[in-house]
Amino acid sequence: MLQELLGALAAAGAAGVVYLAAGLRVVKQYERGVVFRLGRLRGEVRRPGLALIIPAVDRLYKVNMQIVTMPVPAQEGITRDNVTVRVDAVVYFRVMDAAAATVNVEDYRFAVSQMAQTSLRSIIGKSDLDDLLSSREKLNEGLELMIDSPAVGWGVQIDRVEIKDVSLPDTMKRSMARQAEADRERRARIINADAELQASKKLAEAAQQMADTPSALQLRLLQTVMAVAAEKNSTLVLPIPVELLRFLENAHPPAEIAHPPTENTHAPAVNTQHPAG
């Protein structure tokens, strides 16, 4: 009798140990445990460590609290200035309230993904092409606000949204390339004209200085000759100064033009005698 009683106690103890072991759960450091007892949410969220639940009565759902990196598929849309583009992005978010993420939404990952795609299409339609290419930070902030507003009720916090790439049609790329080339050519011409203006002013000042000091022109002529001779050319072109021509002109004035002989004012005598016969 005693042996049967001891055997029954041992069996009950073993069953109790198995029952307790079946109710043990391990919650990792980056997780939180949400317990449902007979379908109703328990108010306390299980912290990391060993959690004990009632088998067949409680259900434990583990929610990951790490930051999730979710790529947003490329969305094709028309910008406000009627340009067709394809834009893709990436969303960084994390669960802040494990109970709300489990109860308030069926699948918070899918919900965030769909909201991100919808918000990205909306941003494309409200923005110009130049804003998509240059004002990325502003658009990222707008996307973050649009996604974060409904995600707060799901227990999810949007940390950051980044636009990864903007794909343009080939025709638009060629047009932008021509526009950039034309703009660079315009700036090059302006810079060249400005350089010509500055050079003309400096040349005018140099000419004025040489006019005040004639010997400076001779020195400049010698420098030019030296520069040409340094090239080891077989032919040396030696310009003749204008002052030398003026000197020769002053040394040999042109001969005076001879006046034509004056006409005789006296009329020749006319023979009025008639021949004889």
Side-chain angles (χ1 to χ4, degrees):
M1 188 66 181
L2 182 60
Q3 292 180 354
E4 294 178 356
L5 182 59
L6 292 176
L9 291 177
V17 171
V18 172
Y19 185 79
L20 290 176
L24 293 177
R25 298 291 187 272
V26 176
V27 181
K28 297 180 181 179
Q29 181 66 36
Y30 55 85
E31 294 176 339
R32 298 294 183 269
V34 180
V35 180
F36 290 89
R37 177 166 296 174
L38 298 177
R40 299 186 63 180
L41 176 66
R42 292 292 304 272
E44 183 181 357
V45 176
R46 302 302 172 89
R47 307 290 297 178
L50 189 62
L52 180 62
I53 63 174
I54 301 176
V57 177
D58 294 344
R59 285 186 175 273
L60 178 67
Y61 293 92
K62 297 178 182 180
V63 180
N64 194 330
M65 307 295 289
Q66 292 177 314
I67 295 178
V68 180
T69 303
M70 176 179 293
V72 181
Q75 302 297 314
E76 185 173 353
I78 301 177
T79 61
R80 191 167 56 183
D81 50 353
N82 298 324
V83 179
T84 303
V85 295
R86 288 177 59 88
V87 182
D88 56 350
V90 59
V91 181
Y92 302 90
F93 67 94
R94 61 186 303 178
V95 176
M96 301 301 296
D97 189 349
T102 307
V103 176
N104 295 346
V105 61
E106 180 181 2
D107 187 352
Y108 65 89
R109 290 174 178 264
F110 182 74
V112 171
S113 176
Q114 294 300 311
M115 180 57 64
Q117 296 180 35
T118 306
S119 301
L120 185 56
R121 292 195 196 98
S122 178
I123 285 292
I124 293 174
K126 294 179 181 179
S127 304
D128 295 332
L129 179 61
D130 294 338
D131 296 335
L132 289 175
L133 297 177
S134 60
S135 303
R136 293 283 185 89
E137 294 296 332
K138 183 179 179 181
L139 296 180
N140 292 338
E141 293 177 359
L143 272 175
E144 182 178 348
L145 291 176
M146 293 178 67
I147 302 173
D148 190 56
S149 296
V152 172
W154 305 335
V156 178
Q157 178 183 359
I158 306 299
D159 286 349
R160 190 173 183 86
V161 181
E162 292 285 346
I163 295 177
K164 293 172 58 178
D165 188 24
V166 179
S167 300
L168 301 175
D170 294 336
T171 55
M172 179 57 63
K173 291 180 180 179
R174 290 192 292 266
S175 299
M176 295 177 64
R178 290 195 299 268
Q179 179 183 0
E181 183 179 358
D183 184 67
R184 290 183 178 274
E185 184 177 358
R186 177 183 62 84
R187 286 185 291 176
R189 290 184 178 181
I190 293 176
I191 294 174
N192 190 18
D194 190 19
E196 293 291 340
L197 178 61
Q198 295 180 8
S200 62
K201 291 181 180 180
K202 294 298 181 181
L203 288 175
E205 295 177 1
Q208 183 65 32
Q209 186 69 23
M210 289 181 180
D212 297 339
T213 308
S215 59
L217 183 60
Q218 301 296 330
L219 295 176
R220 187 71 184 93
L221 176 62
L222 294 176
Q223 290 179 358
T224 305
V225 172
M226 292 178 61
V228 174
E231 299 295 333
K232 298 181 181 180
N233 296 326
S234 59
T235 303
L236 181 62
V237 179
L238 185 62
I240 299 177
V242 180
E243 286 74 6
L244 180 60
L245 298 178
R246 291 177 180 175
F247 175 76
L248 295 177
E249 182 181 359
N250 295 331
H252 300 282
E256 295 182 358
I257 300 176
H259 296 283
T262 56
E263 296 180 357
N264 189 5
T265 56
H266 300 283
V270 179
N271 188 9
T272 57
Q273 294 180 0
H274 296 280

